[in-house]
Amino acid sequence: MLAVNPEALNRTVQDFLNEAVGAVVLEDGAVAFDLARAKYSISGEHNKCLLHLWSAERNAVRRVLNAEVKNGMLRLAVQRMGQARPSKLEICRERDRRSPTVKRVARTAYECKLRRTLERHFPGFSIARLTTGADLEKSFGPIYTRGLVRQGRSAFAVLGVNAQETQSSIDAALTFGILWLDVCRQAQAGKVVVEGLTLFVPKGSSALVRERMANLNRDAAKWRLYELDERDDALVEIDCSDRGNVVTRLVHATDESAARERFAEGIARVNGLLPNCEVAVLSAAEIAFRWRGLEFARARLGAEAGSFRSTQEIVFGVGAEERVLQGRNESAFTELVNSLRDVRHPYGPRQHALWRMHPERWLESLVAGDVSVIDDRLDRSCLYSQVPAFSASDRAMIDVLTTTQGGRLAVVELKADEDIHLPLQGLDYWSRVEWHHARGEFPRFGYFDGRELSAEKPLLFLVAPALHVHPATDVLLRYISPEIQWEFVGIDERWREGVRVVFRKRAPGGAARRQLSPALASSAA
């Protein structure tokens, strides 16, 4: 590391963190902060670069002396307050910080454990193959151990994931399990009947996978889920037959008009700098300001120092960055607002961080402005975006929740870039909405303002740019339960200029049709 001036340090740290959504901060080799939940601010006062990090559990201020970006990690030499000797702070974009060698050893060991488990618990079956080798052409990396077990003319595809992988990799196992099942069926056609998928996940980690598996087509395949305790090779089968067994809770809708009135002064102040910015009511005590979907400030209620009275404050920053707006940093806030206005528009500089950040939120802001561009059945006057719905393993935000003009609920899941997990993530949100709807909770929790909702199951719309649809999407959609009426909507690549649908694909039995615009057909060719 080379010593640099505070201004350059500020810029290095700021640029890295702008591109590191959900990064983790390591101190003394341990995770000190997870920026998916923690906040930070960077100050250049008194010719020093100060990094302030805080969460519900702890608070830390470090003076940054040196900085170096290497292998996706920001390595900082920092000084704690009151200590003369510098220490190290590392900020990692990747949550899995293991070296490639350590990962490879763990995955090889798991392959052996899974083989022993199959031999012990499925004695009637022979293992036709078992591998952790990558096959990128078919979207398989080395994370998952894949195999095939046979008994006469019958077979099952097998996929397992070890306990040292991240929870997100475990949650994604079903996506790759379905794809592996499809590969096995194609390879074994005419030889054996691959009846279904047997999926192995670590002990205590199956909640989200179970919910997803419960909504798959049981006529298309047999689905089996097991939790494997690698320490003693104990195996427990998880029941995935109950589609109503969803661990979720809904957050009460907020009185938006009252909240806007409460924060009228803050809204006027921000609108004075950036007219027509989006104002999103988060709760009775907090609102967010967004520009083309990117949140840049919040107004919130807090306790006034030395009294029991509440006071309002505005905080600003992009991503996990957060600074209280005060006279001394008002110029920084104005600079951020001006940058947003100059950069974040359809024809802005594409390489700029503010233009690239959170494209899905940008797309969501356009769809929320007029959801009928996705389907003319959807009611543009009755819509909620970023609806919190808490599940067993995460705090989910449903992109758009609306209804048809006839009152049928509709879930709209958006992706601005190619994402192999789009179908099953949409399934997550659909299952939560269906669970709450079946119990009549939306009216009780203040949603849809007394509107009569249809008793029909919700519709599911999956939306992505037409040329950024993952090739595996069609395979995954084929295995979704026929009870779920889904529609895949491909939009024009230039959606920032305005959302235009170029093709649709509907679930079998849902008047399937596909329309391709001449311009897109020419591009695709």
Side-chain angles (χ1 to χ4, degrees):
M1 293 187 184
L2 299 175
V4 292
N5 63 65
E7 183 179 347
L9 283 172
N10 275 341
R11 187 166 56 252
T12 299
V13 177
Q14 185 74 70
D15 289 348
F16 184 89
L17 289 172
N18 281 345
E19 299 286 338
V21 179
V24 291
V25 181
L26 307 178
E27 192 165 37
D28 300 325
V31 176
F33 296 94
D34 181 343
L35 293 183
R37 294 182 289 272
K39 295 288 186 180
Y40 75 88
S41 67
I42 303 169
S43 170
E45 296 178 12
H46 309 298
N47 203 32
K48 297 178 182 179
C49 176
L50 296 179
L51 175 61
H52 182 195
L53 298 151
W54 69 95
S55 67
E57 294 78 30
R58 60 177 304 189
N59 184 65
V61 177
R62 302 288 183 264
R63 179 185 177 186
V64 180
L65 305 175
N66 295 311
E68 178 186 34
V69 178
K70 188 175 182 180
N71 298 327
M73 180 181 295
L74 177 63
R75 295 172 177 167
L76 303 176
V78 300
Q79 189 173 36
R80 303 188 187 203
M81 298 303 162
Q83 295 186 7
R85 179 174 296 181
S87 58
K88 292 182 180 179
L89 200 70
E90 296 175 320
I91 305 177
C92 307
R93 287 196 179 101
E94 299 294 331
R95 292 172 178 270
D96 190 346
R97 306 179 308 280
R98 296 175 297 163
S99 69
T101 300
V102 171
K103 293 177 185 178
R104 186 166 55 251
V105 169
R107 291 163 184 169
T108 301
Y110 178 77
E111 181 181 331
C112 296
K113 289 179 182 178
L114 185 58
R115 181 179 295 275
R116 291 197 305 269
T117 299
L118 291 170
E119 292 170 344
R120 178 181 303 176
H121 294 277
F122 303 90
F125 287 83
S126 61
I127 302 173
R129 64 175 300 190
L130 205 60
T131 180
T132 54
D135 186 349
L136 300 182
E137 184 180 347
K138 294 183 173 65
S139 302
F140 298 116
I143 293 176
Y144 304 102
T145 300
R146 310 179 305 281
L148 184 74
V149 294
R150 295 182 55 172
Q151 187 178 48
R153 295 278 296 171
S154 175
F156 275 85
V158 170
L159 186 137
V161 55
N162 73 75
Q164 294 186 47
E165 305 295 346
T166 62
Q167 184 61 48
S168 61
S169 294
I170 295 169
D171 291 341
L174 184 56
T175 292
F176 295 100
I178 294 171
L179 298 180
W180 177 241
L181 167 64
D182 201 69
V183 167
C184 289
R185 284 180 162 176
Q186 292 181 40
Q188 299 298 320
K191 303 174 186 176
V192 296
V193 177
V194 182
E195 295 189 40
L197 171 70
T198 303
L199 188 63
F200 297 89
V201 298
K203 179 182 179 181
S205 67
S206 66
L208 186 57
V209 175
R210 183 198 59 74
E211 290 179 14
R212 289 177 172 179
M213 192 174 278
N215 287 293
L216 297 182
N217 188 343
R218 299 193 172 276
D219 292 329
K222 294 179 180 177
W223 309 101
R224 296 174 178 173
L225 176 63
Y226 293 88
E227 287 190 354
L228 172 60
D229 188 338
E230 296 172 37
R231 290 176 296 180
D232 56 13
D233 289 338
L235 197 64
V236 176
E237 185 168 7
I238 306 300
D239 180 14
C240 299
S241 60
D242 185 0
R243 292 182 57 192
N245 186 17
V246 179
V247 181
T248 180
R249 65 184 178 89
L250 188 66
V251 174
H252 279 272
T254 303
D255 185 338
E256 293 206 6
S257 59
R260 288 173 180 270
E261 184 178 344
R262 185 176 300 114
F263 289 102
E265 182 179 343
I267 292 173
R269 182 177 183 182
V270 175
N271 265 320
L273 292 172
L274 191 59
N276 301 316
C277 68
E278 303 147 32
V279 179
V281 176
L282 306 179
S283 71
E286 191 170 28
I287 62 172
F289 299 95
R290 299 168 184 159
W291 183 250
R292 305 191 193 278
L294 181 61
E295 183 175 310
F296 64 92
R298 290 191 180 198
R300 64 192 184 194
L301 294 179
E304 188 176 281
S307 75
F308 294 102
R309 291 180 300 178
S310 62
T311 184
Q312 291 188 23
E313 65 180 8
I314 294 177
V315 296
F316 69 97
V318 173
E321 183 184 15
E322 183 178 286
R323 285 184 279 176
V324 178
L325 180 58
Q326 300 170 327
R328 61 185 181 183
N329 61 24
E330 191 160 359
S331 61
F333 179 54
T334 302
E335 182 181 347
L336 172 61
V337 168
N338 289 338
S339 294
L340 286 169
R341 182 192 297 111
D342 296 341
V343 169
R344 199 169 173 86
H345 59 83
Y347 310 103
R350 295 179 173 230
Q351 297 308 312
H352 198 288
L354 291 178
W355 195 91
R356 296 198 311 270
M357 288 180 74
H358 299 294
E360 284 160 24
R361 299 286 77 82
W362 191 337
L363 176 57
E364 178 194 308
S365 70
L366 297 175
V367 172
D370 182 6
V371 73
S372 67
V373 298
I374 299 302
D375 192 292
D376 56 16
R377 292 172 293 170
L378 299 179
D379 189 345
R380 60 197 297 182
S381 68
C382 188
L383 177 145
Y384 299 90
S385 62
Q386 290 293 288
V387 181
F390 298 86
S391 182
S393 61
D394 68 337
R395 173 175 175 161
M397 291 287 185
I398 300 168
D399 286 344
V400 173
L401 177 63
T402 184
T403 69
T404 65
Q405 295 176 20
R408 185 176 183 180
L409 285 171
V411 179
V412 183
E413 174 66 2
L414 306 160
K415 293 293 180 185
D417 296 307
E418 184 176 293
D419 192 330
I420 195 171
H421 303 295
L422 172 57
L424 294 197
Q425 286 179 353
L427 198 60
D428 291 342
Y429 302 137
W430 182 93
S431 65
R432 296 177 200 185
V433 169
E434 162 59 15
W435 195 92
H436 294 295
H437 177 49
R439 288 152 183 78
E441 291 189 354
F442 285 108
R444 293 207 311 269
F445 280 63
Y447 291 87
F448 301 107
D449 194 24
R451 181 187 179 94
E452 185 175 350
L453 298 178
S454 167
E456 293 180 280
K457 293 182 181 296
L459 298 171
L460 172 61
F461 291 88
L462 304 171
V463 182
L467 299 182
H468 283 77
V469 179
H470 197 281
T473 299
D474 272 339
V475 174
L476 296 167
L477 290 173
R478 286 205 305 267
Y479 287 96
I480 290 179
S481 170
E483 296 180 29
I484 300 171
Q485 191 172 336
W486 56 262
E487 182 167 327
F488 197 99
V489 180
I491 59 175
D492 190 279
E493 298 295 311
R494 297 159 295 185
W495 54 263
R496 288 178 176 84
E497 301 172 26
V499 177
R500 293 179 292 277
V501 174
V502 294
F503 79 79
R504 299 179 187 275
K505 182 172 183 177
R506 288 178 175 163
R513 60 190 173 94
R514 183 179 177 90
Q515 297 176 340
L516 192 64
S517 72
L520 182 67
S522 174
S523 301

